[in-house]
Amino acid sequence: MREHQYGSRGRGTTVTDDNADVMELQARIAALEAEKERLRLSERAAHELALAKQGEIQIVRSKLDISNRTYEAKLAAMVKQHHDETTRQKLDLEASKRERELLETDNRFIHHDLVQEAERAKRLNGLGKLRTNAASRGTAVGKSRKAGNGMGDGFDEAEVHSISPSRSRDRSQDQTPKVGGKRKRMAPDSPIPLAFSQARQPVVKEDSVQTVVSLDSVLTPPTATARADEKFVYYQMIMNHRPFEGHCRTFEAFAKMIFPSTPDRSLASLFGDQLGVDASPDIEAFAQAIASIMLDFWTSCLKEKHFAPFYLILNLLKFVLKGQRAAITANLIEQALPLCVKSIDLIAVENARNSLYGMSSKSAINTDARAQLVEELVIDEVVDFLHDLCQAASLFPERLRDFWTHLEVSFLLVLLNPAQPIFQVTTMLRMLGSSALDTTFGAIVNDPDKQRSIENGLVAHLTSLLFDTFTPPADEQPYTIEEITELRLEILKLFMIMCEEDHGGRLLAQHRSAIGRLVRFLDGQVSKLYTVTPGIGLEIDAPQRQAHNLIVETVNITTRLLYHLLRTYDGTIDIVQKLRAVLGGYHKFLGSLSRVAFSTQLVFEEGIDDAAADAAHAILDRVLGPDDGEAVMQAVETPRSGSTSVLRRAHERDGSEIV
């Protein structure tokens, strides 16, 4: 009985210990669950905080975009206002010029009328004096002489007296002749006094005559003689003209030259016949007449295929127009422009054809004849004269449109061919800058669809010139890197001129391959910076230093050009689609712009300006996200660029436009 009680007490102690262990485990489980809940709540709070930060970033970015768009809208409005104001001022200036020309024309007519009235008063005065002298002589002479055998000479029945030769010899030669003994010539006999004789001043006693003379002195303008003298000096300059030092006078050479159609008349004779006699003192009309004659000679050279006198004709034509107003040169567009095109085509078309298909057998046979034609036609001078016409027309909007209406796009493409000499291509690029109008670019046609096709073709051709290889003529040295880079700089400058008008900028932005080719060109030029020796602190030749500076300039201009296109026409440009137009376009885009954006501007990169670097940063900020921007920054980070991210540098800038 007692043993049973002890056994039951031992088993109760064991059950109590087991319950304590279970409760301890349950408490531990509760603690772990509480910790788990706390961690879950902490994770949720951190996630919500991250979402809030991301929202703040999005808000800041959207505000930045809004501020940029507001600034760009204000800038566009200011540019438009400036353009409208400039246009209005140009119109006012043109109106003032036309009014001034009308006033000058009226003054010339008035001057002409005054001169005629003065001459008429002179003639009336001369007749009155002659009648007075004749009457006084008739009174003084005796009646016996009147009854003599005299003959009337037609002047108020005055007699012509015969003089004995012997009596004339006996008279003293030192005797002063009497004034009344000589018959004065009437004014109509000699209306214009000779330049080498001094007109006698008559002794006038009558008050009425004195009044007429005073009126004549008032009516005669003091500048008429001066203008006549200026015309005489100008005519002497024309007659003494030489095409270059050491050459005979142009008109001496004209006297020895003929056209095949007129073998019996020299060019000097033809010039004199066509010029005629012009008594007007207007030098401008005289210069325009000479220029018209030279253009007629030019036409004869093309018609008869006789170019021996052509260099003299063209040189004299440029000399005549050199000192005249631009309006005179602009008025020759209809006559001179077709002559320039025909002359240039004689050489340029063959050059372009040979570059495409190789020299034909016919061209190889006529090599000597072609060399002579190239020497006689002096195409460089013709292209330069065409440039003069374009510059003169650019001062008058109507004339400028006439200029580009008369030029065909086929001529432009031929002259922009890499087979042409660099001087001719560069000159045409400079002329094309004046064709960037508010609604057109290049040659102007009436069909809008054809006009759009012409403009797109020109842009495609110009962007391809950034990579074409230019071949010099057979008798010239290969082109240097400086000459090639200067040519490509002219192309970039032409693009910048196009961007001054919305039509030209939109034409570049919407073109299929223009932006991609610009990125490809930028990548090539940035890589070329490390292959050309820089001139900073090194003793190298000037051409190498100049080549590096020119390449740096192409990098700066191309970067700014891309920034302008991507910023101004952001809503219409799909940058990824544009970059697909060239092989590896996106990688070239990231590589070239990153190297410009994070440039150290030292040694090989010396010359890359801050504006270009900021433009490259802005482009990357628009295209890349924050993570991609940080990755690009880490890939090209330098000690100078620091650890600042692309996005953070963009936020530090004040939003001013990069120019």
Side-chain angles (χ1 to χ4, degrees):
M1 182 69 178
R2 189 174 295 173
E3 292 177 359
H4 175 73
Q5 289 178 354
Y6 288 145
S8 299
R9 187 178 301 172
R11 287 194 297 270
T13 303
T14 303
V15 171
T16 303
D17 293 339
D18 292 339
N19 291 335
D21 293 338
V22 170
M23 292 178 63
E24 182 180 357
L25 290 174
Q26 289 178 349
R28 187 174 181 182
I29 290 171
L32 290 174
E33 289 179 351
E35 180 68 17
K36 177 182 178 181
E37 182 66 17
R38 187 183 64 79
L39 292 176
R40 186 178 63 81
L41 292 175
S42 176
E43 187 270 338
R44 179 180 297 177
H47 181 69
E48 291 176 353
L49 180 62
L51 290 178
K53 293 294 184 182
Q54 185 68 22
E56 292 176 359
I57 292 173
Q58 292 294 335
I59 292 172
V60 171
R61 183 176 297 174
S62 63
K63 288 183 178 180
L64 178 62
D65 292 339
I66 292 173
S67 63
N68 287 338
R69 290 173 184 173
T70 304
Y71 171 76
E72 291 168 2
K74 291 181 180 179
L75 180 62
M78 293 176 61
V79 170
K80 185 178 183 301
Q81 181 181 2
H82 174 70
H83 179 266
D84 295 341
E85 183 68 19
T86 304
T87 303
R88 185 185 63 79
Q89 291 180 358
K90 287 183 179 178
L91 292 176
D92 294 343
L93 180 61
E94 291 298 327
S96 301
K97 287 182 179 179
R98 286 193 294 270
E99 184 178 359
R100 185 186 65 183
E101 291 176 355
L102 290 175
L103 291 176
E104 290 179 354
T105 304
D106 293 340
N107 289 336
R108 289 175 184 172
F109 278 113
I110 294 173
H111 166 63
H112 184 265
D113 294 340
L114 291 176
V115 171
Q116 285 186 342
E117 291 297 331
E119 292 295 335
R120 187 179 303 166
K122 284 184 180 180
R123 288 194 291 270
L124 293 176
N125 182 25
L127 289 174
K129 290 194 296 181
L130 186 59
R131 292 190 181 96
T132 304
N133 292 337
S136 62
R137 285 199 303 269
T139 304
V141 177
K143 294 183 180 179
S144 59
R145 290 191 177 182
K146 287 184 181 180
N149 233 356
M151 296 180 292
D153 62 353
F155 297 97
D156 295 334
E157 299 300 327
E159 294 181 354
V160 178
H161 301 281
S162 59
I163 301 175
S164 171
S166 59
R167 186 176 180 182
S168 176
R169 286 193 300 266
D170 294 339
R171 296 182 63 181
S172 174
Q173 296 181 358
D174 297 334
Q175 182 179 0
T176 303
K178 296 179 179 180
V179 177
K182 289 187 178 181
R183 182 174 66 87
K184 296 182 179 179
R185 298 180 64 186
M186 293 177 58
D189 293 339
S190 180
I192 302 177
L194 298 178
F196 51 82
S197 63
Q198 182 178 2
R200 296 184 180 181
Q201 301 295 332
V203 180
V204 182
K205 297 182 179 180
E206 294 83 353
D207 295 339
S208 61
V209 177
Q210 180 66 36
T211 303
V212 173
V213 174
S214 301
L215 180 62
D216 177 50
S217 63
V218 172
L219 291 178
T220 303
T223 60
T225 305
R227 293 179 65 184
D229 292 342
E230 289 178 1
K231 180 180 178 181
F232 177 72
V233 172
Y234 183 73
Y235 185 75
Q236 281 185 324
M237 291 174 56
I238 298 298
M239 299 304 295
N240 292 328
H241 172 263
R242 303 172 187 266
F244 51 85
E245 187 177 358
H247 194 281
C248 65
R249 291 184 176 89
T250 299
F251 282 91
E252 291 178 0
F254 278 170
K256 303 174 185 178
M257 294 181 175
I258 61 171
F259 285 124
S261 60
T262 55
D264 56 338
R265 301 179 65 187
S266 66
L267 268 65
S269 176
L270 293 174
F271 176 84
D273 293 343
Q274 294 187 33
L275 184 62
V277 179
D278 184 10
S280 172
D282 190 358
I283 295 180
E284 292 184 352
F286 184 65
Q288 195 163 2
I290 297 177
S292 181
I293 295 173
M294 292 299 103
L295 292 175
D296 291 339
F297 284 0
W298 190 344
T299 304
S300 299
C301 288
L302 291 173
K303 183 178 179 180
E304 303 182 24
K305 300 187 186 318
H306 179 68
F307 301 105
F310 180 73
Y311 75 101
L312 294 171
I313 296 170
L314 183 58
N315 197 282
L316 181 59
L317 176 62
K318 295 173 67 175
F319 176 77
V320 168
L321 298 176
K322 185 176 181 180
Q324 302 302 321
R325 293 188 302 117
I328 296 178
T329 304
N331 289 334
L332 300 175
I333 287 176
E334 287 78 8
Q335 187 179 1
L337 195 58
L339 298 177
C340 293
V341 172
K342 291 179 182 178
S343 302
I344 294 171
D345 280 346
L346 290 175
I347 304 298
V349 171
E350 189 71 21
N351 289 342
R353 186 182 296 116
N354 291 339
S355 68
L356 291 176
Y357 309 108
M359 182 174 292
S360 61
S361 58
K362 183 178 179 181
S363 300
I365 293 174
N366 298 329
T367 302
D368 295 338
R370 175 174 172 77
Q372 182 180 0
L373 181 63
V374 171
E375 181 179 359
E376 292 179 345
L377 267 180
V378 288
I379 295 301
D380 284 353
E381 296 296 326
V382 180
V383 174
D384 186 64
F385 177 67
L386 184 64
H387 187 214
D388 293 342
L389 288 176
C390 182
Q391 285 184 319
S394 63
L395 301 177
F396 311 95
E398 298 84 1
R399 294 271 75 194
L400 184 60
R401 288 192 174 273
D402 292 340
F403 180 88
W404 290 107
T405 302
H406 283 78
L407 277 183
E408 296 183 358
V409 66
S410 58
F411 173 76
L412 302 181
L413 296 178
V414 166
L415 204 55
L416 291 173
N417 191 282
Q420 311 301 343
I422 275 189
F423 169 78
Q424 299 177 17
V425 179
T426 303
T427 306
M428 177 51 67
L429 290 172
R430 292 170 181 168
M431 285 191 285
L432 273 175
S434 66
S435 72
L437 305 179
D438 52 352
T439 57
T440 60
F441 172 68
I444 299 177
V445 295
N446 295 326
D447 187 0
D449 294 335
K450 188 176 180 181
Q451 180 71 40
R452 192 178 304 108
S453 176
I454 288 174
E455 293 172 353
N456 288 328
L458 271 177
V459 171
H461 190 79
L462 290 171
T463 52
S464 67
L465 283 179
L466 294 172
F467 313 99
D468 286 337
T469 301
F470 288 83
T471 306
D475 56 343
E476 294 185 8
Q477 296 293 330
Y479 294 131
T480 62
I481 186 174
E482 294 84 3
E483 293 174 319
I484 300 295
T485 309
E486 286 177 350
L487 173 65
R488 289 168 179 167
L489 266 176
E490 291 295 334
I491 299 174
L492 297 176
K493 291 177 182 178
L494 173 59
F495 289 156
M496 295 183 70
I497 293 175
M498 291 175 61
C499 290
E500 293 177 2
E501 297 287 346
D502 181 70
H503 177 79
R506 195 172 298 277
L507 183 63
L508 288 173
Q510 295 179 353
H511 192 271
R512 178 179 177 275
S513 58
I515 291 180
R517 290 179 178 177
L518 286 174
V519 169
R520 175 190 168 192
F521 176 72
L522 176 63
D523 181 70
Q525 294 300 100
V526 171
S527 299
K528 194 178 293 184
L529 283 177
Y530 305 97
T531 62
V532 178
T533 306
I536 303 301
L538 300 177
E539 295 295 334
I540 62 172
D541 296 334
Q544 296 182 15
R545 185 163 55 249
Q546 182 184 6
H548 189 271
N549 295 338
L550 291 173
I551 295 172
V552 169
E553 189 175 357
T554 61
V555 171
N556 291 332
I557 293 179
T558 307
T559 305
R560 283 184 257 177
L561 184 61
L562 286 171
Y563 170 77
H564 172 79
L565 294 175
L566 296 176
R567 178 186 62 85
T568 307
Y569 307 100
D570 187 18
T572 61
I573 294 178
D574 184 358
I575 185 63
V576 177
Q577 185 68 26
K578 297 293 184 183
L579 295 176
R580 288 177 182 172
V582 296
L583 183 63
Y586 190 74
H587 297 287
K588 289 180 171 63
F589 174 81
L590 290 181
S592 59
L593 288 175
S594 299
R595 291 158 80 179
V596 174
F598 297 96
S599 169
T600 60
Q601 300 178 349
L602 298 173
V603 193
F604 290 103
E605 297 176 356
E606 204 281 334
I608 297 178
D609 54 28
D610 294 334
D614 290 342
H617 273 291
I619 295 172
L620 292 174
D621 290 341
R622 287 177 177 271
V623 176
L624 302 179
D627 296 336
D628 294 336
E630 293 290 344
V632 170
M633 183 274 298
Q634 293 175 5
V636 296
E637 184 180 7
T638 60
R640 176 167 181 167
S641 63
S643 60
T644 306
S645 66
V646 178
L647 189 60
R648 196 173 304 155
R649 285 194 57 173
H651 291 166
E652 290 176 356
R653 291 194 300 273
D654 57 358
S656 59
E657 184 182 2
I658 302 168
V659 295

